[in-house]
């Protein structure tokens, strides 16, 4: 497999961008990476949509060019394969599906900026924009990356479950966790979910796995969408990537009244399959994918529920991860029998 050091033209910077000195350290990294840039020309602003990392946009006003500096979240390597992220960006840029990777520092990366506006949760259901997303995701799913084409979904879920056990087994500060969740119940439910979903034999594709509104950039002047933040991208079940996207219509507030209707999903899935296969799908193909997606929708809640449980133990970002985990798992249990009846 390609490693970070084997990625062509990747500059490795012996610098650390501290969360407590974010803008100054980010500027220092940029000035080392781009030695012809002048300090006086740079404008930096922190982007605050994310809940994993610290992100800064640096604009060279003289050149009218922006780059992004991402300082990884504290201990986030327990959740994310950072070397895989570098490989993802490098390969996606070769497919013209993301901007270039300029450099890596001790705890983060510098990469290209995509002009446009992140979607907001209500905008996810816009008929035109959502159609663009369906076409773009179908293109994503054609990407090939090094390594076996096998789904990482359940290996990741079991890894995160083991992280939860390690974190919450003995520390006295975990009282809230034990009030909200049962390790034994989660373990049993994970085994049940794995058995049901693996029986579907869903196609495995290169998946984004985190296609929420803030990770979809709409450039109105070009009428195109782009996907950003590729740290969770890997081979996964097609149904998971689409089901997770539909789950994210609810936003961080988990307003599941925004979950797309069956009619909306059927239109979206028709657009997706048309791009993916190069031909108009049959009604049966669309309905089969609808069933697949709504079964894997359940896995999305389990995925981010476990993720949030792990994050709650170490992240220094101001976000109530434990409450978020509860909302995701509550929705899982609420919808489990409904979705499996489709």
């Amino acid at each position: 497999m390609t490693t970070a050091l084997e990625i062509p033209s990747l500059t490795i910077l012996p610098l650390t961008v501290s969360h407590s000195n974010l803008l100054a350290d980010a500027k220092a990294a940029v000035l080392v990476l781009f030695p012809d840039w002048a300090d006086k020309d740079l404008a930096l602003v922190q982007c605050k949509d994310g809940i994993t990392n610290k992100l800064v946009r640096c604009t060279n006003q003289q050149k009218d060019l922006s780059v992004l500096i991402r300082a990884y979240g504290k201990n986030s390597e327990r959740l994310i394969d950072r070397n895989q992220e570098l490989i993802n960006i490098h390969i996606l840029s070769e497919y013209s599906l993301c901007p270039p990777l300029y450099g890596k520092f001790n705890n983060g990366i510098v990469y290209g900026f995509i002009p446009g506006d992140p979607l907001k949760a209500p905008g996810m259901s816009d008929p035109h924009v959502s159609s663009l997303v369906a076409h773009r995701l179908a293109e994503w799913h054609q990407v090939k990356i090094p390594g076996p084409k096998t789904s990482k979904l359940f290996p990741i879920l079991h890894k995160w479950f083991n992280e939860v056990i390690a974190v919450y087994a003995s520390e006295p500060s975990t009282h809230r966790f034990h009030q909200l969740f049962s390790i034994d119940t989660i373990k049993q439910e994970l085994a049940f979910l794995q058995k049901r979903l693996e029986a579907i034999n869903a196609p495995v594709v290169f998946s984004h796995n985190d296609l929420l509104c803030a990770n979809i950039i709409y450039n109105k002047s070009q009428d195109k969408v782009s996907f950003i933040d590729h740290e969770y991208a890997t081979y996964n079940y097609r149904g998971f990537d689409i089901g997770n996207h539909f789950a994210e219509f609810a936003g961080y507030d988990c307003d599941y009244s925004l979950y797309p209707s069956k009619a909306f999903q059927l239109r979206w899935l028709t657009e997706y399959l048309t791009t993916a296969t190069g031909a108009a799908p049959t009604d049966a193909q669309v309905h089969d994918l609808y069933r697949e997606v709504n079964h894997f929708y359940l896995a999305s809640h389990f995925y981010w529920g476990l993720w949030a449980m792990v994050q709650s133990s170490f992240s220094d970002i101001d976000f109530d991860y434990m409450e978020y985990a509860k909302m995701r798992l509550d929705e899982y249990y609420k919808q489990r029998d409904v979705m499996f009846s489709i």
Side-chain angles (χ1 to χ4, degrees), residues 19 35 43 62 72 100 111 136 141 158 199 238 246 253 258 297:
H19 286 197
Q62 184 71 24
Y72 298 148
Y111 57 105
R136 176 63 79 176
H141 287 172
H158 285 289
R238 173 185 66 178
F246 288 166
D253 293 332
L258 298 175
Y297 165 76

Side-chain angles (χ1 to χ4, degrees), residues 34 36-38 40-43 57-68 102 112-116 219 222:
F34 302 102
D36 61 325
W37 288 16
K40 63 181 178 62
D41 296 331
L42 305 185
R57 177 182 176 184
C58 176
T59 301
N60 185 319
Q61 298 169 311
Q62 184 71 24
K63 296 179 179 292
D64 191 25
L65 176 65
S66 292
V67 298
L68 295 172
Y102 293 119
F113 172 78
I114 296 176
N219 187 316
Q222 297 179 7

Side-chain angles (χ1 to χ4, degrees), residues 250-281:
Y252 290 138
D253 293 332
C254 296
D255 179 3
Y256 291 108
S257 67
L258 298 175
Y259 188 68
S261 67
K262 180 177 182 179
F264 178 98
Q265 290 188 44
L266 293 178
R267 288 193 298 271
W268 193 102
L269 296 171
T270 299
E271 298 271 8
Y272 169 88
L273 285 171
T274 300
T275 300
T277 65

Side-chain angles (χ1 to χ4, degrees), residues 291-311:
R291 178 176 179 272
E292 175 190 320
V293 163
N294 282 275
H295 286 193
F296 277 96
Y297 165 76
L298 298 170
S300 168
H301 294 303
F302 225 89
Y303 186 92
W304 295 112
L306 287 176
W307 171 89
M309 291 177 197
V310 179
Q311 282 276 46

Side-chain angles (χ1 to χ4, degrees), residues 25 36 41 44 56 75 80 109 135 144 156-157 164 224 227 246 253-255 267 272 285 301:
D25 286 353
D36 61 325
D41 296 331
L44 287 86
V56 174
N75 291 328
I80 297 164
I109 56 175
H135 288 292
K144 309 298 181 187
I156 287 172
L157 287 178
V164 172
K224 65 178 289 188
F227 302 157
F246 288 166
D253 293 332
C254 296
D255 179 3
R267 288 193 298 271
Y272 169 88
Q285 289 172 322
H301 294 303

Side-chain angles (χ1 to χ4, degrees), residues 68 89-90 92-94 96-102 111-114 226-228 230:
L68 295 172
I89 296 173
H90 171 62
L92 286 165
S93 66
E94 292 187 331
S96 299
L97 290 174
C98 82
L101 178 65
Y102 293 119
Y111 57 105
F113 172 78
I114 296 176
S226 302
F227 302 157
I228 62 171
H230 316 105

Side-chain angles (χ1 to χ4, degrees), residues 128-139:
H128 177 65
V129 175
S130 65
S131 175
L132 295 177
V133 172
H135 288 292
R136 176 63 79 176
L137 191 58
E139 293 172 345

